Each structure stands twice: as structure tokens, then as C-alpha cells.
């Protein structure tokens, strides 16, 4: 159901079952979507990182990336990534060589809807569900602020949102989005060159 959403915030969070790896992320409450948690998922192997979003009135989302690049990060990256919302796999595509933030946007397709996610800067991003003949679309703006235990994520929504819109937008609060920024894209390019050179040397 399409819902008008008032602004809400998530605060930094740590948790996890006793005897299990610590989980970190964000947690808060929306008047329309209820309690929401974005948190890392423990994984038994070093080359996998995953983040999930769960909430009272949104579908569960899981973003996972695999590969050597995640072994030096705490969060999943946009490389080697898969995203699932509920039982559906979300199609992901981006232009690594885009000259602008919007040019490097991540394009997604879920349940017949098309989405674009781009970085405003390293702490702020926007998700847009494109308009179609039946709907005017929606824009979700997510901004991180604060330091240490006072960190928070502020979320504002323009348009009438679906639960999937909120889930897709917020799972990226637990993802390394650096490659969507110009500086992050340059660093990623050098990293790819280094890994290719290292693989050639080992071969």
C-alpha cells in the first residue's frame, strides 16, 4: 500500500545474540513503518559481507557482496553484490566510469519498478523510484550525521512510498557506498589495478 511518510531517524546500534558475533548498525522508529533495524549479518567466511534491514511494516532486505575487496572492509560493497527484498532478487546495474554523482548512480529494478540511487556526498544519498503511468514515484533522502554514539541517520520521503521503497533505501545505510562518489570511484579504480597486477604476478 502506498503511504505518506513523515520524517524519522535511526540511531547507532549494537547488538547480537549471546555467544554470537557482535552486530552493528542503526535502529529507530517511524510513525508509519514501525520499528526498523539496519544491521550487519555475521558470515562464516572472510570474503563475504552482508547487511539486512528489518521492520514491522516493511519487507526484509538483505544486501550481500562477495570477493577479495570486502576482506578489508566492515560493510558490503557495491562490487560483487546481490540484493534481495523479501523473496525477490533486485536487478542491479551501474556505470563505474560516470563523470558525475548521478552518472555513477546505481540502477535497480524490483517488482516492475525502476529505481536510481546516487550519492550527494559520502554521508548522504538519495533513492528515487521512477514515475510511471500508475504512480508519480517517490524520493527517499538519507543523511548520516554525528560522531561516535551520537551518530544518526535522518530519513525523509517525498511522495507516497511502498514498504519496498523504505527497505531498499535503508539497507544502503549499512553498505559501503564510496564508489558512488568521485573520490571513492578513483580509489576503487586504483584498487582494481592493484588487484589485477597482484593476480598477474601470482599467475
Amino acid at each position: 500500500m502506498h503511504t505518506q511518510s513523515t520524517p524519522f531517524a535511526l540511531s547507532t546500534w549494537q547488538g547480537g545474540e549471546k555467544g554470537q558475533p557482535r552486530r552493528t548498525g542503526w535502529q529507530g522508529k517511524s510513525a508509519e513503518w514501525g520499528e526498523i533495524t539496519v544491521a550487519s549479518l555475521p558470515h562464516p567466511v572472510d570474503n563475504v559481507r552482508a547487511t539486512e534491514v528489518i521492520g514491522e511494516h516493511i519487507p526484509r532486505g538483505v544486501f550481500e557482496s562477495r570477493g577479495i575487496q570486502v576482506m578489508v572492509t566492515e560493510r558490503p560493497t557495491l562490487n560483487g553484490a546481490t540484493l534481495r527484498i523479501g523473496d525477490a532478487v533486485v536487478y542491479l546495474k551501474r556505470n563505474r566510469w560516470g563523470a558525475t554523482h548521478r552518472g555513477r548512480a546505481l540502477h535497480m529494478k524490483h517488482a516492475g519498478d525502476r529505481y536510481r540511487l546516487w550519492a550527494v556526498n559520502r554521508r548522504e544519498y538519495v533513492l528515487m523510484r521512477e514515475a510511471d503511468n500508475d504512480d508519480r514515484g517517490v524520493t527517499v533522502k538519507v543523511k548520516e550525521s554525528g560522531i561516535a554514539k551520537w551518530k544518526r541517520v535522518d530519513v525523509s520521503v517525498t511522495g507516497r512510498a511502498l514498504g519496498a521503497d523504505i527497505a531498499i533505501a535503508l539497507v544502503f545505510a549499512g553498505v559501503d557506498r564510496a564508489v558512488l562518489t568521485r573520490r571513492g570511484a578513483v580509489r576503487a579504480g586504483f584498487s582494481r589495478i592493484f588487484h589485477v597486477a597482484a593476480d598477474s604476478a601470482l599467475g
Side-chain angles (χ1 to χ4, degrees), residues 109-146:
K109 188 174 181 181
H110 169 67
D113 290 320
R114 295 183 181 275
Y115 295 84
R116 281 188 293 150
L117 183 140
W118 66 89
V120 176
N121 52 52
R122 68 183 184 87
R123 305 189 76 179
E124 184 177 358
Y125 63 93
V126 177
L127 175 77
M128 184 181 74
R129 172 164 52 78
E130 297 181 4
D132 56 30
N133 293 334
D134 302 317
D135 191 278
R136 295 183 178 180
V138 69
T139 301
V140 184
K141 295 182 180 180
V142 182
K143 183 177 182 179
E144 298 177 21
S145 61

Side-chain angles (χ1 to χ4, degrees), residues 77-79 94-96 98 100-101 104-105 119 176-189 192:
T77 70
L78 296 184
N79 296 321
R94 66 186 176 89
N95 177 12
R96 295 183 179 186
T100 65
H101 285 191
R104 287 184 294 273
D176 184 344
R177 307 176 305 275
V179 294
L180 297 180
T181 66
R182 180 173 300 173
R183 183 174 297 177
V186 170
R187 285 200 303 267
R192 284 195 297 273

Side-chain angles (χ1 to χ4, degrees), residues 43-49 67-68 70-73:
H43 210 282
V45 292
D46 288 339
N47 66 339
V48 177
R49 297 288 184 273
I68 192 171
V70 302
M71 297 177 70
V72 294
T73 69

Side-chain angles (χ1 to χ4, degrees), residues 28-126:
K29 187 172 184 177
S30 158
E32 294 78 21
W33 309 105
E35 294 280 353
I36 296 174
T37 300
V38 181
S40 57
L41 280 176
H43 210 282
V45 292
D46 288 339
N47 66 339
V48 177
R49 297 288 184 273
T51 291
E52 73 168 351
V53 57
I54 55 175
E56 292 181 72
H57 305 300
I58 64 173
R60 179 176 183 254
V62 176
F63 188 101
E64 179 183 276
S65 59
R66 296 172 176 264
I68 192 171
Q69 78 280 352
V70 302
M71 297 177 70
V72 294
T73 69
E74 295 182 359
R75 299 185 293 176
T77 70
L78 296 184
N79 296 321
T82 58
L83 172 59
R84 290 179 173 83
I85 298 297
D87 295 326
V89 175
V90 179
Y91 173 75
L92 306 174
K93 181 180 179 181
R94 66 186 176 89
N95 177 12
R96 295 183 179 186
W97 311 109
T100 65
H101 285 191
R102 292 204 181 203
R104 287 184 294 273
L106 180 65
H107 293 255
M108 294 172 277
K109 188 174 181 181
H110 169 67
D113 290 320
R114 295 183 181 275
Y115 295 84
R116 281 188 293 150
L117 183 140
W118 66 89
V120 176
N121 52 52
R122 68 183 184 87
R123 305 189 76 179
E124 184 177 358
Y125 63 93
V126 177

